[in-house]
Every structure is written in C-alpha cells, then in structure tokens.
Amino acid sequence: MVVATGFFDGVHTGHRLVIKKLVETARQKGDESMVITFWPHPRNVLQSGARSLRLLSTMAEKKAMLSDLGVDHIEVLEFTKEFSTLTSEEYLRDVVMGRFGGRTVVLGYDNRFGSDSASSAEVRAAAERLGLEVVTADVASSAHGMAVSSTRIRAVLEAGNVEDAAEMLGYRYSMLGVVVAGNRIGRTIGFPTANMQLYEPLKQVPGNGVYSVSVRTLDREWSGMCNIGTHPTVGAGNTRTIETNIFGFDEDIYGLDISVTFLRKIRDEVRFDSIDSLRRQLEEDRKLCLSLGKGNNR
C-alpha cells in the first residue's frame, strides 16, 4: 500500500501535488493508494484556537475530491488526545505500517506530524529505520509568490476574495446547506431569497458582502447573487445570514438542499438610507452579475 497522511482541509492545489504523486507512485508499483486522514480537526481536540477554527471542506466533500483524484482507499481515524501522543515514528510503525500495511509513504514539502512535529527530513529518517520507502511530492504550489496553505485560503475567504481562493484551491469555493425561513423582506421588494443554514457549522463562510454565485437546487443549476451579512438597512443587531436571490427562479424550496458556489465579490454590505435605496442597489447588483456572463440558467 502506498500511503499519504494528513488532514487535507480543502484538498487545495498544494495537497493535489501530494495526491498526484501518491496515485502515480501506486500505479508505477502496481500497488493501491491510500489517504489516511482524521476527524475531528486536531485543533478541536487540542484546544489550540479551536473556537476560531473553520473548515474549507466537510468530510463528505473531502472524500469525494480524493476519490475523484484517483485515490483507492480513504481511511478516517478518530483524532483523540491519546492518539495525539504518538510520535512520528510510532505513527509510521503502528498505524501506517502495522494497521494499514503501508510500504511506501508520500510526503509533502512541509509534511509535519506526530507529537514531535517531525519535519519531512526527520520523518524520512524514521521511515528508513523502519524499512518504509519515502517518496517526496513536488514543491508546493504558490499563488502570488506565496505557498498555498489551508490557513491562507481561510484568511482570503474571510476577506471576501473568492477569486484568489479559487486559484489556490484549484476550484471555486462552495457551501452546502438547507433552505430555511427568513424575514421575507427581499420578497416584498422584488428580490426573494433562499436563506441557507449550513449542514456543517464549522464550514468557512466568506466575509460579509454581495457575491455573484452559481446555485444548485432541485437538480438544476442557476445563476444568482448572494448576500452574507446582518442586513444593517433593516435594523441593528441582526443575526448574520446567507441569503441568495436566484435569477429566474420562483419555486418553494424550503427544507430542500441548496449549494452556493462563489464566483466573484461585487461589493461590501452597506447600510442604505431606505428600503427603496436598497432595492435600487439590488437592481444594479443583478445587472452587474448578469453582465459578468453568468445569467443563463443551465
């Protein structure tokens, strides 16, 4: 078995270099490929910034992406405090080799794991002592001269820069949830919205603002615009919501799945002097989204 191990949040372009090397190496050896990953995130268990942690991918999304990249087996280990005490060498010996029969391990350029937070060079030395072959993936991908990382992508999304996030991820960022009842103010001014409740509460939400988006519901794809924020025009202290106006759509989808894919941020969320001013701005927002060439339903 040829193995790669890590949390792989978002399965971004840096991760994909590791997965590509994993799948290629397995094929060359006539062996099978395996990704060993974990749940929950180590920070949730070790309490290192756990409250602020947000994820780029749910476990289901991660598994689907890894499978699409050609990985034969995906094993999810429960990350516990006891598990966290394993050194890198113990993890290689007891888990990679002992539990899953790994004979080759594929490392990224900055792969660190184990309670000793061993570097790639240290992991290679430990693997060689155990008789485990080590293959190193290509140098990590970069965007604007900086190495891609899940942490950096989260920060870029928080800033609302969904286009740079897509460049680093290798795909456009999306969120999946269920449509729930909202305040229905949008409907009264000609812009009905689908109010989304995320299935994964820890999923990273882009920063407040208005976005051009692609929407999938009822097994069809539509164009639309999504507002993330607190609706300051209708009052202070409102709960943050994710609401999407779906162009050319007028069906009851309460209680149904909705997936929103972010294409571009078009403006910040601002407070308008009146509901009528808000309506006029929404008309301009819709025109802009349509002018971006995303207005045709598919």
Side-chain angles (χ1 to χ4, degrees), residues 211-253:
Y211 297 83
S212 173
V213 298
S214 174
V215 184
R216 187 161 189 84
T217 190
L218 297 176
D219 293 324
R220 293 183 63 189
E221 193 168 335
W222 308 77
S223 295
M225 58 184 182
C226 176
N227 184 86
I228 299 174
T230 59
H231 302 288
T233 302
V234 299
N238 299 315
T239 301
R240 190 187 195 206
T241 60
I242 306 164
E243 298 190 44
T244 304
N245 174 240
I246 309 173
F247 300 154
F249 185 87
D250 189 25
E251 297 188 48
D252 182 0
I253 53 174

Side-chain angles (χ1 to χ4, degrees), residues 19 32 37 44 53 63 66 77 79 138 143 149 167 184 191 205 208 227 259 263 277:
I19 301 305
E32 295 186 325
T37 189
N44 286 124
L53 174 68
K63 285 182 173 181
L66 291 171
L77 303 183
F79 193 93
D138 296 334
S149 71
E167 180 183 347
R184 295 180 174 268
F191 289 88
V205 177
N208 290 2
N227 184 86
S259 175
L263 308 177
S277 295

Side-chain angles (χ1 to χ4, degrees), residues 264-279:
R264 175 179 169 184
K265 184 178 180 179
I266 60 173
R267 66 173 173 87
D268 291 333
E269 184 185 47
V270 297
R271 183 183 183 280
F272 294 91
D273 293 335
S274 66
I275 294 296
D276 194 50
S277 295
L278 171 61
R279 179 185 57 77

Side-chain angles (χ1 to χ4, degrees), residues 145-166:
M146 297 179 66
V148 172
S149 71
S150 299
T151 299
R152 184 165 180 240
I153 296 170
R154 293 184 198 111
V156 167
L157 284 170
E158 182 62 34
N161 195 337
V162 295
E163 292 175 286
D164 275 3

Side-chain angles (χ1 to χ4, degrees), residues 193-210:
T193 58
N195 189 5
M196 170 193 280
Q197 179 177 307
L198 296 176
Y199 283 130
E200 174 50 72
L202 290 180
K203 181 83 169 175
Q204 177 72 56
V205 177
N208 290 2
V210 180

Side-chain angles (χ1 to χ4, degrees), residues 69-111:
L69 292 171
V71 177
D72 296 313
H73 305 281
I74 302 163
E75 296 290 341
V76 182
L77 303 183
E78 181 182 7
F79 193 93
T80 64
K81 287 188 176 180
E82 180 181 6
F83 182 82
S84 73
T85 64
L86 290 176
T87 66
S88 55
E89 186 161 349
E90 289 170 339
Y91 177 75
L92 291 172
R93 183 192 66 211
D94 299 340
V95 179
V96 173
M97 299 177 71
R99 182 169 173 181
F100 295 113
R103 294 183 292 183
T104 303
V105 63
V106 178
L107 301 177
Y109 84 107
D110 65 346
N111 232 161

Side-chain angles (χ1 to χ4, degrees), residues 118-133:
S119 66
S120 293
E122 292 167 331
V123 172
R124 177 181 290 275
E128 289 174 351
R129 288 194 294 271
L130 296 168
L132 183 65
E133 182 182 0

